[in-house]
């Protein structure tokens, strides 16, 4: 029997104990700041286990982890895959992440865009293990990124052999692509032969965009569609669009 995991974010896949152990061993400015901020593991762990007000509050923990992972993304990717195989008996894993957010600090925009390829290569090398698990990647675009930066993520997914799809993720925020620009980005990915998924209707009932449906294979969450816009369910069914339902996330984000 195969146990697949089709909605796992690298930013949420590392146990706090592993994160804290990494922090204690490092001398980087970030590690020093986090040691001073939390003091000990119990206070750090509470940051991950506390009640969250909403999705934005929940994602604040992911942002902390992304910053840490940028220092040694292979270290954290290896442990995420090892943990999924050994402790959860997962043998097919889709690991999703935003490569830009794990590029080296202090680089220019062009250098960070170029460094995304190195990030994916480092993760690909780290997940080649003796554990009985097969891992592929979904690269996440971000709601706050410019269309050109998001397109660069699509272009990287197109050429990297371990990338199977692209996604929209990140908190809802102003300044990112318009829905028209998102349609163009997903049409481009679709025409280039990539599979696609999009975080949509996770916590906001207004975050439903039928304009994207023709270019989607799956929707991340989509629970608000069923709760508030059930008229769209027949179209999702006809198009064969799968909803990636994540019950624990809904409990954690209220």
């Amino acid at each position: 029997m195969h146990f697949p995991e089709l909605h796992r974010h690298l930013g949420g896949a590392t146990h706090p104990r592993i994160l804290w152990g990494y922090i204690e061993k490092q001398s980087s400015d970030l590690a020093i700041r986090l040691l001073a901020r939390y003091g000990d593991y119990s206070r750090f762990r509470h940051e991950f286990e506390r009640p969250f007000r909403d999705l934005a509050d929940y994602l604040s923990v992911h942002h902390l982890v992304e910053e840490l992972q940028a220092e040694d993304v292979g270290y954290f990717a290896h442990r995420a895959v090892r943990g999924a195989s050994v402790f959860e008996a997962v043998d097919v894993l889709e690991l999703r992440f935003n490569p830009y957010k794990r590029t080296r600090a202090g680089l220019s925009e062009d250098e960070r865009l170029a460094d995304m390829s190195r990030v994916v290569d480092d993760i690909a090398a780290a997940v080649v293990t003796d554990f009985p698990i097969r891992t592929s990647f979904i690269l996440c675009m971000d709601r706050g990124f410019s269309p050109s930066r998001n397109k660069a993520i699509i272009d990287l997914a197109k050429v990297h052999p371990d990338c199977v799809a692209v996604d929209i993720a990140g908190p809802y925020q102003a300044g990112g692509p318009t829905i028209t620009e998102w349609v163009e980005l997903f049409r481009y990915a679709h025409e280039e032969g990539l599979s696609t998924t999009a975080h949509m209707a996770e916590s906001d009932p207004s975050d439903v965009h039928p304009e994207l449906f023709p270019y989607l294979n799956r929707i991340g969450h989509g629970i608000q569609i069923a709760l508030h816009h059930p008229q769209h369910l027949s179209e999702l069914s006809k198009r064969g669009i799968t909803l990636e339902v994540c019950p624990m996330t809904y409990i954690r984000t209220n």
Side-chain angles (χ1 to χ4, degrees):
M1 181 179 295
H2 291 284
F3 292 91
E5 168 57 80
L6 303 181
H7 195 118
R8 181 161 300 193
H9 291 264
L10 181 58
T14 308
H15 193 279
R17 172 59 75 183
I18 292 176
L19 292 167
W20 188 250
Y22 176 85
I23 291 168
E24 288 185 311
K25 296 173 186 175
Q26 302 306 308
S27 58
S28 66
D29 290 343
L30 176 59
I32 292 169
R33 292 201 311 270
L34 291 173
L35 281 170
R37 176 178 174 184
Y38 293 103
D40 57 40
Y41 174 63
S42 63
R43 291 179 60 193
F44 183 72
R45 183 182 64 192
H46 176 72
E47 183 69 15
F48 293 80
E49 298 177 348
R50 65 180 174 83
F52 294 103
R53 297 184 301 275
D54 51 27
L55 179 62
D57 190 26
Y58 179 72
L59 291 177
S60 67
V61 176
H62 282 247
H63 301 157
L64 183 157
V65 175
E66 287 167 347
E67 195 174 1
L68 272 174
Q69 290 179 345
E71 294 190 349
D72 191 347
V73 71
Y75 174 92
F76 293 104
H78 177 79
R79 279 151 184 78
V81 170
R82 180 186 66 181
S85 178
V86 174
F87 299 111
E88 301 176 67
V90 170
D91 53 12
V92 177
L93 173 66
E94 285 183 358
L95 193 63
R96 61 185 72 194
F97 57 92
N98 184 306
Y100 185 91
K101 293 183 178 181
R102 292 163 174 84
T103 54
R104 297 184 176 99
L107 300 179
S108 69
E109 175 69 7
D110 287 345
E111 289 170 332
R112 291 190 73 175
L113 292 175
D115 196 40
M116 291 195 301
S117 181
R118 189 270 313 166
V119 170
V120 180
D121 286 342
D122 285 354
I123 295 175
V127 302
V128 177
T129 70
D130 293 331
F131 303 111
I133 186 169
R134 178 164 54 89
T135 305
S136 56
F137 306 146
I138 295 177
L139 299 191
C140 294
M141 298 179 284
D142 190 89
R143 287 186 175 89
F145 284 4
S146 67
S148 60
R149 189 186 289 175
N150 281 320
K151 183 177 180 295
I153 292 173
I154 295 175
D155 287 336
L156 176 57
K158 279 171 27 183
V159 299
H160 200 286
D162 294 302
C163 296
V164 296
V166 290
D167 182 18
I168 303 173
Y172 304 104
Q173 54 191 302
T178 64
I179 185 58
T180 300
E181 289 169 328
W182 278 122
V183 168
E184 290 304 314
L185 285 164
F186 273 93
R187 179 187 288 121
Y188 174 66
H190 185 79
E191 291 174 349
E192 292 296 320
L194 282 167
S195 294
T196 56
T197 181
H199 280 66
M200 184 189 298
E202 180 175 358
S203 63
D204 181 358
S206 68
D207 181 34
V208 179
H209 304 287
E211 307 96 316
L212 291 177
F213 292 173
Y215 312 107
L216 295 178
N217 299 104
R218 303 204 305 245
I219 290 176
H221 305 283
I223 189 170
Q224 302 298 331
I225 298 175
L227 292 174
H228 296 281
H229 305 278
Q231 70 273 17
H232 293 306
L233 293 177
S234 60
E235 181 180 359
L236 297 181
S237 178
K238 289 176 183 177
R239 292 186 180 278
I241 297 175
T242 301
L243 302 184
E244 304 162 350
V245 181
C246 307
M248 184 56 68
T249 298
Y250 310 139
I251 294 172
R252 297 299 306 280
T253 61
N254 294 305

